[in-house]
Amino acid sequence: MDFFNQDLTSLHADLVAKKISAAELTQATFDNMAKTDAKVDAFLNLNADAALKNAQAIDAKGINVDNLLAGIPVGVKDNIVTKGLTTTAASKMLENFVPVYNATVVDKMLANDMVIVGKTNMDEFAMGGSTENSAFKVTKNPWDVSRVPGGSSGGSAVAVASGQVPVAYGSDTGGSIRQPASFNGIVGMKPTYGRVSRWGLIAFGSSLDQIGPMTRTVKDNAAALNLIAGNDVHDGTSSKREVPDFTAGLTGDIKGMKIALPKEYMGDGIDPKVREVIKNAVKQFEDLGATVEEVSLPHSRYGVSAYYIIASSEASSNLQRFDGIRYGFRAQDVKNLEDVYVRSRSEGFGDEVKRRIMLGTFSLSAGYYDAYFHKAGQVRTMIIDDFNKVFNDYDLIIGPTAPTPAFKIGDEISDPVTMYMNDVLTIPVNLAGLPGMSIPAGLADGMPVGLQLIGKSFDESTLYKAGYAFEQATDFHQATPDLGGTN
Amino acid sequence: MAEERINAEQVKHVAELAKLEFTPDQLDMFTGQLEKIIGMFEELSKVDTTGVPVTSQVNDRRNALRDDVAVQSNQRQALLANAPETAEGLIRVPTIIDESGDGE
């Protein structure tokens, strides 16, 4: 079976009513994956034996009627560690790496009876916006298999958009959940920094990274965030704030909500067809009784530069651990210890990862630290101040998620600056640690366009409330790709 | 931020700091690309940041403290399973000071 016509609520009802068992659902999921994934390559590694065993155990125990996610198949991005299940971060460096512990989010999935069916493809170490930087395979966009799925959580996005799983988890450092959600016509949430534990997420930019859910509907997404959110003793940056029930405020009523539209998000760099979709979304929000007013985020245009300095600097430090000694790839025929480091890293990392390590090492090096790393940290403060000013007067910011719909495979991979500019609308949200969500807002030339909702810190609830109202008033989320009649 | 942003010599130096090495072709490619990317970074010099503090983290906590309690976490065998080369329950590495040149 595919998951195009059922959301978590209806799947849960079927499981509770025993119309289908968790084991049958898991088997049906793998049967469909065998056909569908051959066309889109969303998964790197399947978990068939363990998944079926887990599902049988869930059936034996009985489906918890209060848990929408019980017995539900889930895809997990391959930079989230899974005990006993190979976790590669789509890098040759970790090709044979088998984690000895679970990420906290994975423990929560298992404790809540989710069935992990496999690990999804991504840009190597989550560095990229097209999933073309995977060391192992190129994931295709199900809406047009000659196009990229976005990235870096491209595999998770495609796993959901192609109907293989109802939920997948990704990670977002500069847009890596929201941009592929936009490119694939699904819902993707980057929670507030600190909302979700990063324990067991292979570190890229530690002040920016967050794990979040990717689903077909807003309500499913809210339930999937409930499941992973909350403080964790293993992550000192995870917040101790209480986690509200994100599904609670989904009434469809947003009358009086004050929404801001930054003029910088509708400028010349944005594809006119994308702007058109967003203008229609603005009208939709007004029809729903919200007010939408133009505002300015004057420093957001500097976000890309600030981000690529900060994220690369953090990455260059985080990725020092990959040295060929304790785990991961070690080069052959090395003469001495220095050789192990240099050759293992040079042979184990792909080009984009090397580029980021180089940028980060450069930005932190003597003579350049003040002009680059220090300056970027100051500009980050100014970007945060811009958001704070807007949120003094508004509940929510909206705009496009990405400047264009999905581009062709191979078109941008050799031009890093063009590739980096794809993140211009998502990056400021990570720099400020705010929650951001992409929801389907329409099509441009047959390809999905995402609407980005940006909220106040720890106010995911308002994003879900507004996203749900928009979704109920439109049918964009019901559109599905045609993968040649197998579905 | 100077006229010449970065040259091949500097790229080589940064690569050494990062424990990476490049073939001559790779060095050419990375030098050109880094030149372009760092060129983009220079737009930051247009922003007046006088007196603006640096943001280096955005979490809502200061210190995360816990009781200092020892726990048993003997995972030696499991951890060693991921090591590229082991001997007698230890991780094996090539000689650190290479005097003979034969690596052992």
Side-chain angles (χ1 to χ4, degrees):
Chain A
M1 68 173 285
D2 62 50
F3 291 96
F4 286 134
N5 300 313
Q6 281 195 292
D7 62 8
L8 292 179
T9 305
S10 70
L11 285 165
H12 181 64
D14 287 356
L15 286 162
V16 170
K18 295 193 161 63
K19 279 189 192 165
I20 189 166
S21 69
E24 286 163 353
L25 183 62
T26 302
Q27 187 57 54
T29 300
F30 281 112
D31 291 347
N32 178 48
M33 285 166 80
K35 287 182 293 180
T36 305
D37 210 45
K39 296 176 183 173
V40 292
D41 283 321
F43 284 89
L44 281 175
N45 184 18
L46 300 185
N47 189 35
D49 294 347
L52 283 166
K53 255 188 224 159
N54 290 349
Q56 283 158 3
I58 292 162
D59 285 328
K61 187 170 68 172
I63 296 287
N64 176 353
V65 295
D66 297 322
N67 175 9
L68 221 44
L69 283 310
I72 297 296
V74 59
V76 178
K77 188 176 180 179
D78 207 29
N79 60 348
I80 299 172
V81 300
T82 42
K83 186 175 181 176
L85 180 62
T86 305
T87 299
T88 68
S91 181
K92 183 181 172 187
M93 185 61 88
L94 291 174
E95 189 165 6
N96 301 309
F97 178 66
V98 182
V100 298
Y101 69 103
N102 280 326
T104 296
V105 296
V106 169
D107 272 339
K108 288 188 172 195
M109 288 173 217
L110 297 175
N112 286 284
D113 293 341
M114 293 193 87
V115 178
I116 295 172
V117 295
K119 304 299 292 287
T120 58
N121 197 22
M122 53 185 285
D123 288 295
E124 184 180 2
F125 286 105
M127 296 173 187
S130 69
T131 312
E132 292 167 287
N133 291 324
S134 168
F136 305 117
K137 53 169 71 164
V138 174
T139 300
K140 288 90 181 170
N141 191 309
W143 293 80
D144 174 353
V145 293
S146 73
R147 292 179 187 273
V148 301
S152 66
S153 307
S156 286
V158 170
V160 172
S162 62
Q164 298 188 62
V165 286
V167 186
Y169 288 94
S171 68
D172 189 316
T173 304
S176 282
I177 287 173
R178 290 160 288 157
Q179 183 253 27
S182 173
F183 282 12
N184 287 280
I186 62 165
V187 180
M189 166 65 92
K190 196 289 285 184
T192 308
Y193 185 85
R195 180 62 94 186
V196 177
S197 168
R198 294 179 295 111
W199 173 255
L201 173 66
I202 295 174
F204 163 12
S206 300
S207 79
L208 305 157
D209 300 337
Q210 273 287 289
I211 296 169
M214 307 176 83
T215 59
R216 292 182 49 76
T217 70
V218 171
K219 187 182 173 192
D220 285 3
N221 202 284
L225 179 58
N226 278 339
L227 187 126
I228 60 167
N231 178 247
D232 175 18
V233 290
H234 294 305
D235 176 2
T237 64
S238 66
S239 176
K240 289 191 161 175
R241 279 170 204 247
E242 206 175 311
V243 180
D245 178 0
F246 296 117
T247 62
L250 308 184
T251 59
D253 179 9
I254 56 164
K255 280 191 196 71
M257 192 178 275
K258 294 183 75 179
I259 300 177
L261 176 70
K263 63 179 183 200
E264 292 81 4
Y265 276 50
M266 294 292 271
D268 288 344
I270 312 301
D271 184 330
K273 286 172 182 154
V274 170
R275 278 187 297 199
E276 202 52 42
V277 168
I278 303 306
K279 279 182 195 161
N280 290 334
V282 167
K283 275 189 215 122
Q284 187 66 61
F285 278 115
E286 286 171 344
D287 288 348
L288 286 163
T291 58
V292 183
E293 289 174 356
E294 190 179 277
V295 297
S296 178
L297 295 171
H299 299 94
S300 61
R301 55 177 296 212
Y302 300 109
V304 172
S305 288
Y307 170 86
Y308 275 92
I309 292 169
I310 292 166
S312 300
S313 295
E314 293 183 9
S316 76
S317 171
N318 275 325
L319 269 60
Q320 284 183 59
R321 73 191 67 181
F322 299 103
D323 56 7
I325 303 293
R326 293 151 299 156
Y327 52 86
F329 175 80
R330 182 186 288 185
Q332 297 297 301
D333 303 321
V334 283
K335 286 197 297 291
N336 55 46
L337 195 62
E338 179 75 5
D339 245 17
V340 176
Y341 299 149
V342 173
R343 294 216 5 243
S344 299
R345 290 166 64 80
S346 299
E347 294 171 30
F349 289 137
D351 282 351
E352 182 61 28
V353 174
K354 288 178 186 169
R355 240 180 327 266
R356 306 278 181 111
I357 291 173
M358 291 293 290
L359 283 171
T361 306
F362 171 79
S363 301
L364 293 170
S365 65
Y368 298 99
Y369 181 92
D370 282 342
Y372 296 99
F373 189 69
H374 186 84
K375 185 84 180 182
Q378 291 177 307
V379 172
R380 184 177 191 178
T381 303
M382 297 172 88
I383 288 170
I384 293 169
D385 288 347
D386 286 353
F387 277 119
N388 287 341
K389 277 179 201 145
V390 171
F391 282 128
N392 281 337
D393 299 319
Y394 296 91
D395 301 311
L396 178 70
I397 295 171
I398 63 170
T401 304
T404 65
F407 43 89
K408 293 268 188 187
I409 291 169
D411 263 11
E412 297 189 8
I413 192 69
S414 59
D415 181 0
V417 170
T418 301
M419 191 67 97
Y420 295 175
M421 290 309 290
N422 290 319
D423 304 337
V424 64
L425 304 172
T426 45
I427 274 173
V429 176
N430 299 78
L431 289 172
L434 301 174
M437 176 167 74
S438 183
I439 62 173
L443 301 176
D445 295 331
M447 295 304 292
V449 173
L451 171 76
Q452 185 174 207
L453 312 173
I454 303 168
K456 295 176 187 174
S457 197
F458 293 102
D459 191 18
E460 290 86 358
S461 292
T462 295
L463 303 191
Y464 283 130
K465 190 181 173 72
Y468 182 78
F470 181 84
E471 181 186 77
Q472 294 308 300
T474 58
D475 57 4
F476 305 125
H477 65 289
Q478 287 163 1
T480 53
D482 176 12
L483 273 168
T486 58
N487 299 302
Chain B
M1 288 177 240
E3 294 69 41
E4 186 187 64
R5 293 158 190 146
I6 193 162
N7 58 36
E9 272 313 298
Q10 285 171 291
V11 172
K12 256 180 152 165
H13 170 67
V14 173
E16 272 170 36
L17 295 174
K19 302 281 183 218
L20 292 169
E21 65 185 2
F22 301 134
T23 64
D25 282 353
Q26 287 173 326
L27 186 66
D28 270 3
M29 179 188 78
F30 281 116
T31 303
Q33 289 175 340
L34 294 174
E35 165 87 18
K36 267 184 83 177
I37 298 164
I38 293 164
M40 175 179 81
F41 291 170
E42 283 184 7
E43 68 178 358
L44 295 185
S45 65
K46 286 186 262 171
V47 186
D48 181 3
T49 53
T50 314
V52 177
V54 167
T55 297
S56 54
Q57 55 88 9
V58 290
N59 74 58
D60 66 347
R61 298 177 65 183
R62 286 297 160 258
N63 292 310
L65 303 175
R66 60 169 172 76
D67 292 335
D68 186 15
V69 182
V71 290
Q72 186 77 269
S73 67
N74 188 1
Q75 296 197 77
R76 181 157 148 165
Q77 286 312 314
L79 290 167
L80 281 174
N82 274 307
E85 229 184 317
T86 59
E88 295 167 39
L90 300 168
I91 294 169
R92 189 182 168 95
V93 295
T95 181
I96 291 173
I97 300 165
D98 183 15
E99 288 175 346
S100 65
D102 66 3
E104 296 291 318

